[in-house]
Structure formats: structure tokens, C-alpha cells
Amino acid sequence: MAAPLELSCWGGGWGLPSVHSDSLVVLAYAKFSGAPLKVNVIDNTWRGSRGDVPILTTEDSTVSQPAKILNFLRKQKYNADYYLSAKQGADTLAYIALLEEKLLPAVLHTFWVESDNYFTVTKPWFASQIPFPLNLILPGRMSKGALNRILLTKGAPPLYHLQEVEAQIYRDAKECLNLLSKRLGTSQFFFGDTPSTLDAYVFGFLAPLYKVHFPKVQLQEHLKQLSNLCHFCDDILSSYFRLNLTDG
Amino acid sequence: MLVRLVLHHPYPQAFLQMCNLPIKVVCRSNAEYMSPSGKVPFIHVGNQVVSELGPIVQFVKAKGHSLSDGLDEVQKAEMKAYMELVNNMLLTAELYLQWCDEATVREITYARYGSPYPWPLNHVLAYQKQWEIKRKMKAIGWGSKTLDQVLEDVDQCCQALSQRLGTQPYFFNKQPTELDALVFGHLYTILTTTDELSEKVKNYSNLLAFCRRIEQHYFEDHARGGISVRLS
């Protein structure tokens, strides 16, 4: 707790502290658990060439990937799940698995694969955040990584063609959103009155989808019909990210 | 309806037996190629063939048999979430152990996967499958995991399942659902094939009792009713 915790992550836009899901999950968790993070937004001085952001740096180690970062924070006593029962903890793991399997492919597709979205919004935004010549390489690499992930996990005979895979992943994503909406109901957070890990994950995945302005918006339209999920995102933004600055 | 089931995995058999459907299990080495989607398991009912777990469940449901009708919407959401957890953690861990752990690959998997085929086809097919699986692992971020990390993930998953099951007979209390069939299928496979993974599962006594209960209730009891393969 004495050592400074620094988080490198992608910056914000459209009213969000970050437009990158993984980064947003960590930022939200840090707010919920009270972890004092010094947030370093990636900018033109960034020299890292690998795309595995967000990265947490402490005095003697670096941790990447949201799940590992959250685990690390918990070990440092920043635990947003302290009040959860064992069953609620188990439910958290299950719902996170649901998000990663059913929602993530479509979110990745919306940002990185759908050409209108990628070329008019995603690529220019990410390229504008990093120095030359990285801005020519990294967005393309992230896009390929996303496509790869989608095809390898979802595309198998007879769904060889991207169009068929696309139809399936959007169907799965819409169903997942419906399930989340039913599970949340009229509560403010998924487990009681205080936010926990699951809320951080749901917020991280949903908020960019909700707020970023894309030309091709079918999943966004679906999300906007689920008003409780939209309120969920807006509440967290206004309660925990009111300043919308990198103030940790 | 008599269902012919071609499989590599006991989940669908458990599911179909929970629905009280008379089934005949057939194990075929070329099952992947017989299947319309290239994936096992698949079922053969009359002159229809349906492959993969999701569609099989849907198909059986359309014929009037479903296990999760008694659940409310929130419970259904929970059930789906836990099924994803099992797929995400247990299935991936099984594949990791089969195809990415060098010792297991050398000693068991290559031989088993390639055994129906003559040389050199057996090597080629096994190697190709391994490459496919490794690519997929890398894409989902499991490429850099060590065996210990995988075992820890399995432990976490089993802990979650054990906590969710508690002292109930099934995950949603009195009646089994698709989730029970899926969990049984995976845990059974783990307990009967791999050492390291099964050690992790054995730490959770309610999960062991759950498997035993299902095996006794649905498999041994049904053995008299004309099932041609016994799980022993």
C-alpha cells in the first residue's frame, strides 16, 4: 500500500475515462475498491510496442491482463468483493465467463472487424494516441488479433465464412445482454448496494459499446433498449468518474 | 424415439438420460467426419442428424423434452452463465492438458488420436490437430499459461461449482438441468482420464458425491434398459 501503483491504459473519449474495455474494467475496479492508482494514459511518449495494455506497474513487478491485475489488487487488500458470499463469488466467475464467451466476440467485432466502424472510428482514434511509426502498425495488429480470436473460437465448420460467424456472434451477444438485463433487474448493482468485480466487468464491456459513436450500430441499438443496463453505466460514470480525468 | 448417439464425451448421454430418452451409444473413430458440422457429439434420430451440444439440447426441447422449464428467468441466466464457466475453464483445461502438455501429448494423446489411421496419416492428423488447438489457446490468452496456472484455474472453477452446489442434490435443487449434465460430463471425464486435474476435483467432496449420485442414478439404473455402453 505504500508503493505507488501505476496503471498504463488507453485514454478516454465520448464521456468515458477509457474507450478500451480491459482498461475500463481495471479503472472501474480501482474506483470501487479504493485502490490509489496513478493512471498514465498512453500518449505520444509511449514506447511500449506490445498491445497488452492495461499494465499495472509497482516498485518491483508488472502485471498485465485485467484478471491478473484485479487479483493483484485484491492481494494488496483492495477488495471490492469483501462483502460477497461464497455463492456470489462463484456467480461472479460464472457471469464473467458468460461475458467473455458470448458478449466479447461481438464487442471485438463492432470495434475492430466491422470495416465501417474500424476505418472511420477505431483505427483513427487509436492511431492518434500513439507515436509514429507505431500508429501505423499497432491498430492493424489489434484488429488482426480480434479477428483471429473470433474466428478461432467461433468459426468452425460449417461457419467458415465471416458472415455466418458474424450472425451467430451478434445473436449470442444480444442474448447475453438480455440475460444481464434480467439478472440486474431494478437493482443498482449486481450484488446489493455496493459495486463489485462483476459490476466492473459489465461496466467495462458495456460502456464503450454504449457511448462510442459508430456508423454500424446494431448491437448498440439493442443495448439502448435495455434501459436498466444503460442506467447502470450512466450511474457508475456519474458517481465514480465524475471528473473524467486521470486523477486515479 | 430411439436416439443413436455418437460421441467422445458423456455430457450428452447424461443429458438425454436425464430426459428419460432411450438411447444407444456408439463410439466411432471417424465421428468428426460423420458429423454434419465436423464436431462431435452428434445424435442420429430416425433420419435426422443433429450435431453439437447446443443444437442437440434445442432439438430435444423441440421434441417436447426440456430440463430447465421449471426455472425462472434469473435462474435460467444463472444456469447459462455457469455453463459458460464450465466450457471456458474445464473444457479449455482438458484440451490444454491433452494437447499442450508435452508429457501427456507424447504418451497418450498422439497415440489415441491417430490410432485408427495408418502411418503416416496418424502423425499428420495428430500434429495438425495439435497445431489447431495451440492456435486457439494463444488467441484466447492461454498460450503463455503454465500447467500450474491451468491447474489453479481448474481449482478456482471447481471451487465455484462446489460453492454453487452446496449441499443440494443438483444445481437447481431437486431436478437436474442441462447444467448438471454438463458438469457431470466434464468432471467424469476428468476423474477417469487425467491425474493432475482429477486431484484438483477430488478436493471437493460434494462434487465427487454429485458425480457418483448421477452415475448411480442414471447410468447403472438404466443399464438394464438396453443401453449398449456401460460407463464403469
Side-chain angles (χ1 to χ4, degrees):
Chain A
M1 279 172 263
L5 300 171
E6 288 192 20
L7 182 76
S8 301
C9 65
W10 292 105
W14 293 279
L16 298 170
S18 173
V19 306
H20 182 236
S21 279
D22 285 352
S23 304
L24 204 50
V25 169
V26 178
L27 287 173
Y29 185 83
K31 288 284 184 189
F32 298 160
S33 62
L37 287 188
K38 182 166 175 308
V39 180
N40 294 330
V41 166
I42 290 175
D43 61 13
N44 278 307
T45 63
W46 190 50
R47 290 283 166 260
S49 64
R50 306 189 48 195
D52 52 340
V53 164
I55 300 178
L56 185 73
T57 328
T58 64
E59 254 173 23
D60 35 41
S61 59
T62 49
V63 188
S64 63
Q65 292 183 359
K68 289 190 190 147
I69 296 177
L70 263 54
N71 257 342
F72 181 85
L73 289 175
R74 266 183 225 114
K75 291 202 179 103
Q76 302 291 316
K77 312 286 184 216
Y78 298 112
N79 187 0
D81 296 346
Y82 190 72
Y83 297 105
L84 295 188
S85 69
K87 178 182 176 301
Q88 289 173 325
D91 284 354
T92 299
L93 274 186
Y95 276 101
I96 292 176
L98 186 70
L99 286 174
E100 286 181 349
E101 283 295 308
K102 297 287 179 184
L103 185 59
L104 182 59
V107 172
L108 286 178
H109 187 276
T110 304
F111 273 76
W112 294 100
V113 181
E114 171 61 66
S115 355
D116 285 351
N117 295 349
Y118 174 64
F119 287 108
T120 57
V121 178
T122 316
K123 185 174 177 195
W125 189 88
F126 278 85
S128 70
Q129 304 289 303
I130 47 182
F132 178 87
L134 207 52
N135 58 348
L136 297 180
I137 309 169
L138 191 55
R141 201 188 288 165
M142 290 170 82
S143 170
K144 239 193 219 101
L147 181 60
N148 232 5
R149 184 178 175 143
I150 294 173
L151 285 180
L152 285 176
T153 52
K154 300 292 170 188
L159 299 178
Y160 266 135
H161 294 289
L162 189 55
Q163 292 90 335
E164 292 155 334
V165 178
E166 280 169 14
Q168 180 66 46
I169 62 180
Y170 277 100
R171 261 201 302 275
D172 285 347
K174 285 174 188 166
E175 198 199 316
C176 181
L177 290 176
N178 292 344
L179 290 177
L180 286 175
S181 180
K182 290 207 178 87
R183 173 63 185 73
L184 181 64
T186 51
S187 315
Q188 193 185 8
F189 300 111
F190 280 89
F191 297 116
D193 301 325
T194 49
S196 61
T197 302
L198 181 58
D199 300 284
Y201 268 89
V202 175
F203 175 70
F205 280 61
L206 292 187
L209 195 60
Y210 176 37
K211 293 287 185 186
V212 177
H213 294 147
F214 285 118
K216 285 271 169 68
V217 290
Q218 54 159 321
L219 197 54
Q220 201 175 57
E221 288 301 313
H222 189 90
L223 174 57
K224 286 185 178 162
Q225 290 169 7
L226 299 167
S227 52
N228 62 346
L229 293 181
C230 297
H231 287 315
F232 172 79
C233 293
D234 286 327
D235 282 346
I236 292 182
L237 279 173
S238 59
S239 312
Y240 292 92
F241 294 102
R242 190 174 300 126
L243 295 176
N244 193 24
L245 289 175
T246 57
D247 58 1
Chain B
M1 70 182 157
L2 178 67
V3 179
R4 264 180 75 219
L5 173 66
V6 185
L7 55 46
H8 281 177
H9 212 277
Y11 158 47
Q13 185 177 358
F15 170 71
L16 292 168
Q17 281 179 295
M18 283 172 185
C19 292
N20 273 315
L21 294 170
I23 69 172
K24 180 175 173 200
V25 178
V26 176
C27 291
R28 290 279 176 81
S29 58
N30 62 341
E32 280 180 349
Y33 298 101
M34 285 170 71
S35 157
S37 77
K39 287 224 176 129
V40 278
F42 66 92
I43 59 175
H44 193 162
V45 181
N47 58 358
Q48 287 176 289
V49 184
V50 182
S51 65
E52 291 188 71
L53 309 172
I56 290 179
V57 171
Q58 291 294 91
F59 178 81
V60 170
K61 190 167 175 174
K63 296 287 181 187
H65 302 271
S66 170
L67 294 177
S68 51
D69 283 342
L71 302 182
D72 65 41
E73 293 298 331
V74 173
Q75 284 175 315
K76 279 194 185 142
E78 227 180 83
M79 185 184 82
K80 294 215 163 115
Y82 275 94
M83 287 174 78
E84 286 310 324
L85 179 65
V86 171
N87 277 332
N88 208 334
M89 294 274 204
L90 291 185
L91 178 59
T92 316
E94 284 164 33
L95 284 178
Y96 179 93
L97 209 68
Q98 274 177 10
W99 292 101
C100 302
D101 176 48
E102 286 307 317
T104 315
V105 169
R106 250 195 333 264
E107 288 163 32
I108 304 180
T109 321
Y110 262 20
R112 197 197 316 165
Y113 191 76
S115 62
Y117 309 102
W119 185 91
L121 199 55
N122 54 350
H123 284 301
V124 170
L125 288 177
Y127 186 70
Q128 188 182 50
K129 181 86 182 182
Q130 186 185 30
W131 181 73
E132 249 176 63
I133 303 280
K134 280 194 168 168
R135 265 182 86 201
K136 183 171 164 181
M137 292 287 161
K138 192 154 173 248
I140 58 176
W142 279 56
S144 53
K145 285 203 181 181
T146 62
L147 183 61
D148 283 336
Q149 284 170 331
V150 171
L151 291 177
E152 220 185 275
D153 284 346
V154 170
D155 189 51
Q156 217 185 21
C157 180
C158 289
Q159 190 181 37
L161 290 172
S162 175
Q163 279 163 354
R164 179 65 185 78
L165 182 64
T167 51
Q168 298 171 131
Y170 300 107
F171 280 93
F172 288 92
N173 209 6
K174 297 277 172 30
Q175 291 301 315
T177 58
E178 287 87 340
L179 176 61
D180 299 278
L182 185 67
V183 173
F184 171 74
H186 281 289
L187 291 185
Y188 190 84
T189 309
I190 289 177
L191 288 168
T192 53
T193 51
T194 56
D195 285 321
E196 296 106 329
L197 290 186
S198 61
E199 287 309 307
K200 289 290 172 190
V201 176
K202 284 179 187 162
N203 286 331
Y204 299 96
S205 56
N206 63 343
L207 292 182
L208 284 179
F210 170 78
C211 289
R212 231 170 265 134
R213 194 182 316 123
I214 293 194
E215 191 185 5
Q216 274 167 352
H217 190 76
Y218 288 97
F219 290 90
E220 286 164 25
D221 286 354
H222 279 63
R224 301 172 244 126
I227 305 300
S228 52
V229 170
R230 262 212 58 164
L231 295 178
S232 53

